[in-house]
Amino acid sequence: MVHAHTLAKIGKRRGALAEAEQARVLLTAAPGDEVEFWALTWGPPAASVYSRTAKIHETLGDYGAAAEQYALAATARPAVTYARIVALDLVAGAEMHLKRGGIEQACATWHRAIDHMDGVRSVRTRKAVSRMRGELSRFRARGLRCAAELDERARDFLASG
């Protein structure tokens, strides 16, 4: 996945996507096989592959595919054990929806992210929520209800921690 991401960063789209696909194939090739201990360092392998694939698509400018992969990554991790990471995957997915112009879908995904942040206190989640508020400002100014409701929830989250 690191090689695939590197290829994406240097503009080798086809190679990057082929490497990402190879990682996905390896995940499904022998589902009953035991995973090497070192491969579990970043959590469930499928979630890691989905998350890294999302970053590849994001680098390549395919925000729809990136959002889809971030959503898969979020659902591939046990939510209780990996609440912070699930929330951050969802935040990244929401950002991809916003880059595609889907503010309503972005707001819905950000709401799900904040749901997963309940009880999580980390600098990264707080920064993500602050960044989200900044992204929402132009939509709040236009009176978009989903942005105003989400901003209120974000303000409450930041005030509680």
Side-chain angles (χ1 to χ4, degrees):
M1 293 309 298
V2 172
H3 183 239
H5 198 193
T6 301
L7 290 171
K9 286 185 174 192
I10 62 171
K12 297 193 177 230
R13 180 182 191 85
R14 222 180 314 182
L17 294 175
E19 290 288 324
E21 177 61 16
Q22 178 63 24
R24 190 196 62 74
V25 166
L26 289 172
L27 273 178
T28 59
D33 288 354
E34 195 166 312
V35 176
E36 295 287 334
F37 177 74
W38 62 265
L40 299 173
T41 304
W42 296 281
S48 294
V49 168
Y50 294 138
S51 182
R52 297 304 304 178
T53 302
K55 291 176 189 328
I56 292 163
H57 285 295
E58 182 177 355
T59 299
L60 295 172
D62 188 347
Y63 304 126
E68 186 178 300
Q69 292 296 310
Y70 279 125
L72 288 170
T75 59
R77 299 183 205 278
V80 173
T81 308
Y82 295 97
R84 182 182 71 89
I85 308 253
V86 168
L88 292 171
D89 281 334
L90 290 169
V91 164
E95 290 169 353
M96 297 304 101
H97 291 306
L98 188 60
K99 283 183 178 186
R100 294 183 68 220
I103 182 61
E104 289 85 6
Q105 197 168 12
C107 284
T109 305
W110 269 319
H111 271 294
R112 288 181 41 228
I114 292 174
D115 290 344
H116 286 280
M117 290 179 194
D118 187 34
V120 173
R121 295 295 174 250
S122 81
V123 171
R124 281 188 69 195
T125 56
R126 293 184 65 73
K127 281 183 181 177
V129 172
S130 293
R131 191 173 59 246
M132 175 194 67
R133 290 194 70 213
E135 294 285 349
L136 290 173
S137 64
R138 66 180 188 247
F139 299 102
R140 280 191 326 265
R142 289 189 223 157
L144 190 63
R145 194 170 109 197
C146 74
E149 289 171 356
L150 181 57
D151 185 62
E152 182 178 330
R153 188 169 180 207
R155 225 181 12 245
D156 292 344
F157 172 82
L158 293 170
S160 71

